[in-house]
């Protein structure tokens, strides 16, 4: 527990953690089960292309979600690209800017223009009431993102999609094992896309999947992820290589066995953070609708600098010096990254909620590698920082000025 400003690592004190505490540390299941599966892969010499583990992984995911089809892929981005192509999207597609860049890139990569829509001020997911103003004759679809595992307003989006004859897809990368009105994510829209990247709640090292209840679409996606082959020597679609390998499926199956344990740890950490952040001025923990099924994978703070008297970026910098790698997910918004910021330099004017939020969010470490004592230490530190906000800012400012003067004098000598 720090007692004075000079004990903060940013001012030369000893960091709170001797090793970096990362956000996004993978949840790891039973090692022996993974090793057994890997041995079996090596014994059978079936490494990829419709192996038994991929098949089992797909079946288990579909069963778990109560959906008809799961098509496993090499990662979430390729899964998005294939879902978009198979669903026949073209022209313009409406997406939130407040998401990981892959949501927008998976469209642009196929020369489909992502049209950025603002988010709702409460849910931080795409705001259905802003969509119709963005529809043009070129619009073919909407992609909602269940950000941080908190579902979009699926009913609102479905109404607009039906009314305007648009295809509705969901980027459900964060939302495996989450529900909406009691129904598992994976069952909405034309299809939903998951990521099983190392940093995700459920990981298969790298991986992703398209989940759908549409038989025809599933068939098409299966062909497209395998170069368009419909049997030996017969290609019927343009396709790519989106296949998941056996070793990734082995990891995915191993992770699936431990889903309840992962949730229990995440939930515990979430409640611990929630308890600790009560009453810290200007620091709000983003909460979940606890009547739903949740994976609790993300601990996200909103920093209101007018109250906290320290900016999100200053807090992030101070925590980094303490070896706590908090991340500004998803700063600065897709519209402020290339190529979109060159294509649409004024997009921010239509995205006031996004513009506000990107400067406030800070994600903190959680997951099975983060212990109760770690959470306590992080919260103590943040409490201390906020309590001394103005003094810390001043000291940081003086330090910056000192460094500038030093750098200038070194340049002159
Ligand atoms: N849509 C959404 C909404 C997404 O969030 C994502 C991915 C996608 C689509 C695309 O799905 P994939 O194609 O990735 O399956 C990370 C992930 O790479 C990315 O998967 C994820 N979203 C995004 C939110 O986060 P970075 O650039 O922040 O990753 P990186 O390398 O900085 O890692 C984050 C932290 O995780 C590090 O501090 C260290 C830790 N880490 C990471 C890896 C890979 C580990 O401890 N071990 C590891 O193996 O993007």
């Amino acid at each position: 527990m720090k007692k004075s400003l000079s004990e903060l690592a940013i001012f030369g004190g000893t960091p709170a953690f001797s090793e970096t505490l990362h956000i996004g540390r993978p949840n790891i299941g039973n090692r022996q089960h993974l090793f057994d599966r890997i041995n079996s892969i090596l014994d059978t010499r079936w490494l990829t292309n419709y192996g038994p583990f991929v098949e089992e992984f797909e079946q288990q995911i579909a069963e778990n979600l109560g959906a008809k089809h799961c098509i496993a892929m090499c990662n979430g981005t390729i899964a998005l690209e294939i879902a978009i192509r198979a669903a026949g999207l073209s022209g313009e597609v409406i997406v939130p800017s407040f998401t990981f860049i892959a949501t927008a890139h998976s469209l642009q990569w196929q020369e489909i223009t992502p049209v950025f829509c603002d988010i709702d001020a409460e849910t931080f997911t795409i705001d259905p009431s802003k969509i119709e103003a963005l529809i043009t004759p070129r619009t073919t679809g909407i992609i909602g993102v269940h950000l941080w595992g908190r579902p979009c307003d699926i009913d609102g989006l479905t109404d607009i999609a039906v009314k305007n004859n648009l295809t509705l897809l969901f980027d459900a990368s964060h939302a495996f094992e989450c529900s909406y009105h009691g129904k598992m994510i994976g069952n909405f829209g034309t299809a939903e896309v998951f990521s099983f990247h190392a940093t995700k709640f459920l990981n298969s090292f790298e991986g992703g999947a398209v989940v759908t209840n549409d038989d025809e679409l599933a068939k098409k996606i299966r062909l497209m992820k395998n170069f368009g082959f419909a049997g030996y020597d017969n290609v019927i679609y343009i396709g790519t290589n989106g296949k998941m390998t056996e070793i990734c499926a082995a990891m995915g199956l191993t992770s699936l066995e431990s889903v309840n344990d992962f949730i229990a740890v995440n939930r515990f950490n979430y409640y611990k953070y929630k308890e600790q952040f009560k009453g810290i001025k200007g620091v709000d923990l983003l909460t979940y609708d606890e009547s739903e099924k949740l994976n609790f994978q993300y601990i996200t703070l909103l920093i209101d600098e007018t109250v906290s008297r320290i900016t999100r970026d200053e807090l992030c910098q101070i925590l980094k010096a303490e070896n706590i790698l908090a991340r500004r997910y998803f700063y600065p918004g897709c519209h402020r990254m290339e190529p979109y910021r060159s294509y649409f330099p004024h997009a921010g004017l239509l995205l006031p909620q996004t513009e506000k939020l990107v400067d406030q969010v800070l994600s903190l470490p959680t997951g099975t590698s983060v212990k109760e004592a770690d959470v306590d230490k992080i919260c103590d530190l943040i409490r201390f920082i906020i309590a001394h906000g103005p003094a810390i800012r001043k000291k940081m400012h003086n330090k910056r000025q000192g460094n500038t003067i030093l750098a200038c004098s070194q340049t002159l000598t």
Side-chain angles (χ1 to χ4, degrees), residues 68-297:
K68 277 175 91 176
H69 306 280
C70 166
I71 306 108
M73 304 262 182
C74 53
N75 61 56
T77 306
I78 295 288
L80 270 170
E81 286 174 15
I82 294 177
I84 287 164
R85 188 177 281 264
L89 299 188
S90 63
E92 295 174 4
V93 171
I94 299 170
V95 287
S97 167
F98 192 70
T99 176
F100 187 61
I101 195 68
T103 319
H105 276 356
S106 56
L107 291 162
Q108 190 64 50
W109 190 254
Q110 314 189 65
E111 300 191 353
I112 300 168
T113 305
V115 174
F116 296 120
C117 182
D118 208 5
I119 46 174
D120 177 84
E122 297 278 305
T123 64
F124 306 140
T125 55
I126 191 166
D127 183 346
S129 73
K130 302 276 163 55
I131 289 182
E132 284 189 307
L134 302 173
I135 296 175
T136 73
R138 298 186 70 230
T139 309
T140 56
I142 304 167
I143 302 182
V145 181
H146 305 309
L147 201 80
W148 303 315
R150 299 169 11 132
C152 312
D153 174 358
I154 296 177
D155 290 343
L157 293 173
T158 306
D159 286 349
I160 290 168
V162 170
K163 184 174 155 207
N164 294 281
N165 198 22
L166 299 174
T167 298
L168 179 60
L169 297 178
F170 291 102
D171 178 341
S173 292
H174 301 177
F176 185 71
E177 285 292 292
C178 299
S179 68
Y180 176 77
H181 296 174
K183 191 169 170 183
M184 295 306 281
I185 295 294
N187 290 281
F188 298 98
T190 297
E192 303 209 57
V193 176
F194 293 93
S195 164
F196 303 127
H197 179 259
T199 56
K200 294 293 184 292
F201 167 70
L202 181 115
N203 89 83
S204 60
F205 297 129
E206 287 269 5
V210 182
V211 173
T212 179
N213 289 312
D214 180 327
D215 299 343
E216 277 311 301
L217 186 73
K219 211 160 132 194
K220 199 167 173 186
I221 288 172
R222 275 195 190 288
L223 298 179
M224 283 184 161
K225 69 130 197 224
N226 187 32
F227 314 101
F229 273 111
Y232 288 139
D233 313 324
N234 182 27
V235 169
I236 62 166
Y237 289 120
I238 183 169
T240 183
N241 183 355
K243 288 170 278 134
M244 177 179 266
T245 63
E246 283 292 278
I247 202 157
C248 287
M251 182 63 167
L253 284 166
T254 308
S255 299
L256 267 174
E257 292 166 354
S258 297
V259 151
N260 290 334
D261 300 335
F262 299 160
I263 292 179
V265 173
N266 280 352
R267 188 197 289 114
F268 180 87
N269 288 348
Y270 167 72
Y271 283 124
K272 187 90 204 169
Y273 274 116
K274 196 172 167 189
E275 180 62 34
Q276 300 252 15
F277 282 124
K278 258 188 216 149
I280 304 188
K281 290 202 171 75
V283 177
D284 279 327
L285 177 73
L286 207 84
T287 54
Y288 292 99
D289 174 356
E290 291 171 34
S291 67
E292 296 289 356
K293 196 160 193 308
L294 298 160
N295 64 29
F296 296 98
Q297 177 73 359

Side-chain angles (χ1 to χ4, degrees), residues 378-397:
I378 294 169
C379 294
D380 282 347
L381 200 56
I382 293 180
R383 206 175 295 111
F384 178 83
I385 295 165
I386 300 298
H388 299 88
I392 293 174
R393 280 189 103 166
K394 197 166 162 206
K395 207 167 155 70
M396 284 173 82
H397 178 74

